[in-house]
């Protein structure tokens, strides 16, 4: 498009576009509401985006307005009016995908962070327990959330119990650091900074199981208006007071940036009804399920038998054949059904050749094959400690659901805890955590009780993923710098795909899965980081 602007128009446009002549450019220095409205209008206009911005957002009665870096108030008002008409009146939800916000959420419990991180189409970064020690007392208190639902007596017991757990954590941190420093002396080629970071991460990894789920964290989120709306509707329907109160805080801040995107959230006949629906369905399934689940008490002995940490509960025995057919689809002119028939009649060697060609020569784990690998899927039932669950839960594009955290499934004890003599203190924290959980649940606060549970306790969850998602997850979470607990889970997933599902060619395509045992997980990663810093 040959677009010509006058000198006056170029001066007005310059603050808001990265270039004024090329066919590709970015928008800058504009409020989210204006950017979103501009793109919404763009889809129904023959004009170029820059011309549209001039004609419908910047022009005032006296000509071009807004030059000099400030968006004219008329542009903001027009954007608000467009959203009112398109988004609110007509319900075009895609418009709410056109503006986003970076949001910092601080002081959120590890129960709340899982709610914040539920949405698939959001980006998150959460404060890590492997890099941040929790031995300090800002404001005279350890960093954990105290639920508003607790009565006075339970609250006092809760605070006393969690304080003791944090005190034991703080006491053992320097001892655990000294233990690992003695076991793994600094290598000749490692700087003090690399060595110190590695040993510290190892000590924090080992002791994080002492921390309760009430431990607070900070989360950075980037999302569109539509994703935030969905998050807020779920939060407002949540049974926990912390989550509902946080929803109000989030909505208040977002309305300072993208108010037009969030008008439906607390409108009774719109967002109100939606949140009510979510709450009612949650209560309905719990009510229907209760008598059925009570029947399972007959099988408690079986249910309480030690389960495998990872179980492959569902897969397609013909999955590899279907992936081969899908790999042939884009390079053929045949319909899907005929390609599937062809793949079934190919020899095992021929199918393997197709998959080898489709996968290609992967130089690193980021080189992943195409969507043919989405033709088959695996469902894993996982029972591992809550700390490892927190890391795996962040893989949101796959399908994942978890059960309520409780002491029912027991807890993990790292070998180093016993070797250093911390075993007695560890078990004491676990027992007090379980007792507090049971007391809170007995008071009719079953949804609140998980706050008291230490992260060493195990939680059950499932992960359902196609082969392409499995490749990403398993290769990423088995890298040597990963936490031993989730490395073990993902190593088991890889073995189950090959040996139980029998999809050996798919498993072989995951060539960057690491099955090694690593003693200092962060060492090589810290070395690499130091080399990159030196090269810059």
């Amino acid at each position: 498009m040959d677009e010509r602007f006058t000198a006056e128009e170029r001066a007005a446009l310059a603050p808001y576009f990265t270039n004024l002549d090329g066919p590709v450019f970015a928008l800058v220095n504009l409020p989210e509401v204006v950017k979103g409205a501009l793109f919404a209008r763009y889809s129904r206009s023959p004009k170029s985006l820059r011309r549209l911005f001039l004609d419908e957002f910047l022009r005032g009665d006296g000509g071009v307005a807004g030059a000099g870096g400030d968006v004219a108030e008329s542009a903001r008002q027009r954007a608000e009016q467009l959203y009112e008409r398109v988004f609110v009146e007509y319900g075009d939800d895609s418009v709410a995908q056109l503006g986003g916000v970076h949001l910092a959420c601080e002081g959120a419990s590890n129960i709340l962070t899982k709610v914040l991180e539920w949405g698939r189409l959001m980006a998150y970064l959460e404060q890590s327990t492997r890099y941040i020690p929790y031995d300090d007392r800002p404001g005279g208190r350890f960093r954990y959330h105290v639920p508003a639902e607790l009565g006075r007596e339970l609250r006092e017991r809760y605070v006393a119990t969690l304080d003791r757990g944090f005190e034991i954590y703080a006491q053992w941190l320097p001892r655990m650091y000294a233990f690992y420093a003695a076991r793994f002396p600094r290598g000749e080629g490692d700087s003090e900074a690399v060595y110190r970071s590695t040993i510290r991460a190892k000590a924090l990894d080992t002791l994080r199981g002492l921390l309760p789920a009430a431990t607070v964290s900070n989360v950075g989120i980037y999302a569109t208006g539509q994703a935030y709306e969905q998050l807020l509707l779920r939060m407002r329907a949540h049974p926990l007071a912390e989550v509902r109160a946080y929803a109000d805080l989030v909505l208040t801040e977002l309305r300072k940036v993208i108010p037009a995107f969030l008008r439906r959230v607390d409108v009774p006949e719109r967002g109100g009804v939606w949140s009510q629906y979510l709450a009612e369905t949650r209560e309905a399934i719990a009510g229907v399920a209760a008598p059925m689940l009570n029947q399972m008490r007959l099988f408690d002995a079986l249910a309480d038998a030690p389960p495998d940490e990872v179980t492959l509960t569902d897969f397609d025995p013909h999955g590899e054949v279907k992936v081969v057919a899908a790999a042939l689809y884009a390079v053929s002119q045949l319909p899907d059904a005929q390609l599937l028939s062809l793949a079934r009649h190919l020899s095992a060697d021929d199918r393997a050749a197709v998959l080898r060609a489709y996968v290609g020569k992967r130089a690193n784990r980021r080189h992943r094959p195409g969507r043919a690998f989405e033709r088959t899927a695996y469902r894993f039932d996982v029972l591992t400690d809550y700390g490892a669950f927190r890391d795996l839960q962040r893989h949101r594009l796959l399908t994942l659901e978890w059960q309520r955290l409780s002491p029912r499934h027991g807890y993990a004890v790292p070998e180093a805890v016993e070797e250093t003599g911390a075993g007695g203190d560890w078990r004491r924290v676990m027992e007090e955590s379980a007792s507090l959980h049971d007391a809170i649940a007995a008071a009719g606060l079953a949804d609140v009780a998980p706050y008291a549970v230490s992260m060493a306790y195990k939680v059950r969850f499932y992960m359902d993923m196609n082969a392409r998602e499995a490749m990403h997850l398993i290769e990423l979470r088995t890298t040597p710098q990963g936490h031993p607990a989730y490395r073990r889970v993902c190593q088991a997933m890889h073995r189950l795909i090959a040996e139980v599902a029998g999809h050996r060619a798919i498993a072989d395509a995951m060539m960057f899965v690491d099955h090694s045992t690593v003693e200092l997980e962060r060492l090589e990663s810290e070395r690499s980081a130091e080399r990159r810093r030196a090269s810059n």
Side-chain angles (χ1 to χ4, degrees), residues 155-470:
R155 178 188 175 91
E156 290 175 356
R157 177 178 174 182
Y158 178 93
V159 169
T161 301
L162 267 62
D163 277 351
R164 282 193 295 273
F166 272 84
E167 286 165 0
I168 289 173
Y169 170 89
Q171 290 166 9
W172 276 102
L173 263 183
R175 301 182 204 176
M176 195 61 67
Y177 186 98
F179 167 77
Y180 284 124
R183 170 171 284 190
F184 305 108
R186 179 159 66 99
E188 290 184 9
D190 293 327
S191 69
E192 179 62 28
V194 164
Y195 179 70
R196 186 171 57 250
S197 296
T198 303
I199 295 297
R200 174 174 163 152
K202 185 72 171 176
L204 292 172
D205 272 353
T206 301
L207 294 177
R208 76 175 182 181
L210 290 169
L211 300 173
T215 304
V216 297
S217 183
N218 299 332
V219 182
I221 302 175
Y222 178 77
T224 66
Q226 184 183 49
Y228 278 123
E229 180 186 58
Q230 294 297 313
L231 171 66
L232 287 164
L233 291 171
R234 287 186 289 101
M235 292 177 73
R236 292 169 70 88
H238 202 276
L240 289 176
E242 180 196 17
V243 179
R244 296 194 303 274
Y246 219 89
D248 292 339
L249 297 175
V250 169
L251 182 57
T252 297
E253 297 311 308
L254 288 177
R255 279 190 164 148
K256 296 175 182 178
V257 187
I258 50 171
F261 292 74
L262 301 166
R263 287 181 178 165
R264 301 187 301 188
V265 171
D266 50 4
V267 175
E269 64 273 17
R270 291 179 178 266
V273 173
W274 202 334
S275 292
Q276 182 180 356
Y277 162 77
L278 295 173
E280 288 175 351
T281 53
R282 182 186 64 244
E283 294 169 4
I285 185 61
V288 169
M292 301 175 187
L293 295 174
N294 285 337
Q295 295 177 21
M296 288 300 296
R297 291 178 180 174
L298 298 173
F299 306 99
D300 271 354
L302 176 63
D304 290 337
D308 292 331
E309 187 172 36
V310 185
T311 306
L312 179 57
T313 60
D314 192 27
F315 63 92
D316 185 347
H318 306 292
E320 278 196 347
V321 172
K322 293 178 179 178
V323 170
V324 169
L328 295 171
Y329 189 88
V331 295
S332 79
Q333 298 295 314
L334 298 176
D336 192 46
Q338 289 185 21
L339 289 170
L340 187 58
S341 178
L342 170 63
R344 287 196 185 104
H345 288 90
L346 290 175
S347 69
D349 288 344
D350 285 343
R351 287 197 294 265
V354 170
L355 289 184
R356 281 197 301 272
Y358 189 76
V359 171
K361 298 178 181 179
R362 301 180 64 209
N364 60 61
R365 63 177 175 81
R366 293 174 178 82
H367 294 174
R368 286 187 289 276
R371 291 184 174 179
F373 269 60
E374 298 173 12
R375 188 67 172 81
T376 194
Y378 312 97
R379 185 182 180 96
F380 297 98
D381 192 45
V382 184
L383 181 64
T384 192
D385 67 88
Y386 191 73
F389 159 74
R390 291 171 60 253
D391 295 314
L392 294 172
Q393 179 266 342
R394 297 187 187 122
H395 294 269
R396 301 168 308 281
L397 289 183
L398 50 80
T399 302
L400 183 148
E401 185 65 276
W402 61 92
Q403 297 175 356
R404 182 183 290 152
L405 176 62
S406 78
R408 172 185 173 88
H409 301 297
Y411 55 85
V413 185
E415 290 182 7
V417 167
E418 299 289 8
E419 293 176 24
T420 56
D425 283 341
W426 188 276
R427 283 184 284 275
R428 189 175 307 112
V429 171
M430 297 302 125
E431 290 164 5
E432 290 189 0
S433 167
S435 178
L436 177 59
H437 166 277
D438 293 346
I440 295 172
L445 298 171
D447 290 311
V448 179
Y451 282 113
V453 181
S454 296
M455 293 189 199
Y457 274 102
K458 298 176 182 179
V459 64
R460 187 183 296 282
F461 58 101
Y462 75 75
M463 303 182 79
D464 197 308
M465 65 197 90
N466 62 48
R468 197 162 187 259
E469 292 166 334

Side-chain angles (χ1 to χ4, degrees), residues 130-131 205 365 476 478-484 486-487 518 520-526:
R130 84 180 316 181
Y131 305 115
D205 272 353
R365 63 177 175 81
L476 173 64
T478 59
T479 53
Q481 64 264 35
H483 192 284
Y486 67 65
R487 288 191 78 225
V518 183
L520 284 178
E521 293 82 13
R522 291 295 306 172
L523 181 56
E524 189 53 44
S525 180
E526 293 293 341

Side-chain angles (χ1 to χ4, degrees), residues 495-516:
R495 287 192 295 269
L496 290 168
I497 289 172
E499 298 168 9
V500 176
H503 296 176
R504 295 188 180 276
I506 290 176
D508 289 345
M510 302 178 191
M511 59 188 66
F512 294 99
V513 178
D514 192 320
H515 283 275
S516 66

